[in-house]
Amino acid sequence: MSDQRNSTIQTLRRLWPYVRPHRARMTVVLSATMLAMLCGLGIPLLTQRIVDGPIQNKETGPLPWLILGVLLLGLGEAVLFYIRRKVVARPAAEVEARMRFDLYQHLQRLPVAFHDRWQSGQLLSRATNDLTTVRRFVAFAIVFLIVNSLVVLIGLGIIAALSPWLLIVSLCGALPLIVISYFFEAKFKVVARKAQDQAGDLTTTVEESVLGIRVLKAFGRGPELSKRFLAQARELRTTELHKISILASLWSVLIVLPELSIAGMLGVGAIGIVNGWMTVGTLVAAVAVSAYLRWPIDSIGWLLAETNQAASALERYWEVIDSPVTVTGPATPVPLPAPVRGHVRFEGVRFAFEDGREVLSGVDLDLRPGETLALVGATGSGKTTLTALVPRLADVTGGRITIDGVDVRDFSLEDLRTVVGTAFEEPVLFSASVTENVGLGVPDVSEAAVREALRVAKAEEFVDALPWGLATRIGEQGLSLSGGQRQRLALARAVVGKPAVLVLDDPLSALDVHTEAEVEGALRRVLRDTTALVVAHRSSTVQLADRVALLVDGRIEAIGSHRELLDTNEEYKRLLSSMDDDLIEEEVAS
Ligand SMILES: Nc1ncnc2c1ncn2[C@@H]1O[C@H](COP(=O)(O)OP(=O)(O)OP(=O)(O)O)[C@@H](O)[C@H]1O
Ligand SMILES: [Mg+2]
């Protein structure tokens, strides 16, 4: 358990760099809160003066001054609490925003393999729920944990000064409380973490079902998913209820013990007054102080709970932040050759996924500058995997890939990604304008460049027909566009920066025959000036290429012109005919 406590403290300590820039404000917050609590503590002492002075002596002379004192203390307390609220909002919000930004940035830098492994809902809930918990901790729990602990100590000091007997009675109430809080803390932390993880799973389910709504509706899977959602929501509810039941048992202890100690104080005090070793004012003041200390003492339990919740939220946050960025630029990158010729070589390239399965086992390819090479292979043969290695979405696990003789890992990532343009099988678009979507990889892209890229991708016409042209916001994931339109925008995005090397993963897959012919023409123009690796699923795409490489069992089995392969390679013929049989029959006939 002490290990666990240490880890809680360590987790919390890592928050300091975020709070540090706001330490001046936080000091103001702490001081204001402390002073406010002290004002509150002063009131029972003035009460003692009133009871033992004017009331005891039946002489009202000093009364107005004492009353005024009470009023001022009350006012001071109110004003200081107001200041606390005002001042704390900013640092807390900024800590939250800064941490969220860092998380986002880190998520951007993490390799694709990380995102394959992690559920997006878990990441979402870490970026939202968990950071809100952290903000609450910074704004509230940490401040009151410090202040209330001090106030309790000071309050007990005051009671001690009033009467040591009364202190002993109060301590009888306070000590068991501290011990119980200590044990409760460990139990609570486990449940708090479980609740946060389950909230993450729930977010994943919601997210998936929203993104996949078309598929789910089409396959009538809605009710089943609702059932799954309900089950997860129930699980989360059970955990939350467990959390609450732990809190409830703590609360009952928290409430009973101070009551008992006040009863004890009244008993001891009455005996003291009857026997003449205590004044009425002293007893009144001590009971008033005890009553005032109730909230600080009560609160320590749930402040600890809040602290634990924050610690486990932070733990979840650090888990992501601590995931290593495995694809990084070199310390001293090789500058880009000027001009980049675009000579791409795969030398004995191997790639295995984290589970150890090797998808590529020694790929050799040589793309001459300006050449277009089509990559053909059965589904699941590793074509997408191979293309992802060029812009370093993942790194080779053996061999190397060079551009103009330089290992791609020796360029800075920024440089590499300006040299290599990519379009993926699934044309992912963002809810942003057409210009932003197309210019994604080029900072401060000019409208002329976007237009040219759109023209090349045969997308200008339909973009101009959109309500606001280039400025039209494309719906989430581009769902408001047709598959072919999306693909053409993705193509425009790949070429807008005029990259020397283009990697296109089946760029024509979603086009109908008519537009395909049009885009093909456009593509032909694009491919003329760049070195291109194009994954092809159709003979029409293959025909755009100078040469074709056939990927089988993780190696390049054959390479040559479309004609040559068709004549000499049975596997190639079989593959292509399975892709689109009409065309191949024409081919063979001709
Ligand atoms: N993240 C991953 N972890 C483990 N295996 C994976 C992962 N991603 C893909 N694979 C596997 O790697 C193999 C190659 O996948 P890849 O997507 O490269 O195939 P492909 O040739 O592009 O197929 P298609 O023609 O259907 O697009 C497949 O067997 C696939 O199941
Ligand atoms: Mg693929």
Side-chain angles (χ1 to χ4, degrees), residues 463-579:
V463 167
D464 279 337
L466 292 173
W468 290 278
L470 280 177
T472 312
R473 260 185 100 79
I474 301 168
E476 193 182 359
Q477 294 198 325
L479 286 187
S480 51
L481 300 176
S482 80
Q485 290 171 333
R486 268 182 275 161
Q487 212 150 25
R488 277 180 277 168
L489 287 187
L491 200 58
R493 177 195 289 161
V495 299
V496 72
K498 296 202 188 310
V501 177
L502 259 183
V503 178
L504 305 176
D505 192 355
D506 201 17
L508 303 180
S509 67
L511 302 185
D512 57 67
V513 179
H514 175 68
T515 20
E516 187 187 323
E518 280 194 351
V519 178
E520 241 177 67
L523 200 56
R524 200 181 291 279
R525 279 214 306 280
V526 174
L527 296 177
R528 207 168 40 207
D529 309 326
T530 58
T531 311
L533 180 61
V534 183
V535 174
H537 274 123
R538 310 185 189 190
S539 55
S540 55
T541 323
V542 169
Q543 282 163 25
L544 294 172
D546 302 307
R547 284 191 301 161
V548 185
L550 179 63
L551 183 65
V552 179
D553 294 334
R555 289 166 194 278
I556 301 299
E557 195 188 77
I559 190 161
S561 75
H562 174 54
R563 242 324 7 125
E564 279 164 25
L565 290 193
L566 217 49
D567 291 343
T568 59
N569 196 300
E570 277 307 308
E571 169 89 14
Y572 183 70
K573 207 148 104 185
R574 203 177 50 74
L575 255 177
L576 244 65
S577 63
S578 71
M579 289 172 190

Side-chain angles (χ1 to χ4, degrees), residues 205-226:
T205 304
V206 173
E207 204 212 348
E208 277 180 357
S209 45
V210 172
L211 289 181
I213 190 72
R214 279 156 206 258
V215 179
L216 294 174
K217 274 189 186 297
F219 285 85
R221 297 305 284 263
E224 192 173 309
L225 215 82
S226 300

Side-chain angles (χ1 to χ4, degrees), residues 116 353 355 357 359 377-386 425 537:
D116 286 349
F353 284 106
D355 56 15
R357 217 159 47 83
V359 179
T379 173
S381 57
K383 302 181 296 296
T384 299
T385 310
L386 187 145
E425 255 170 319
H537 274 123

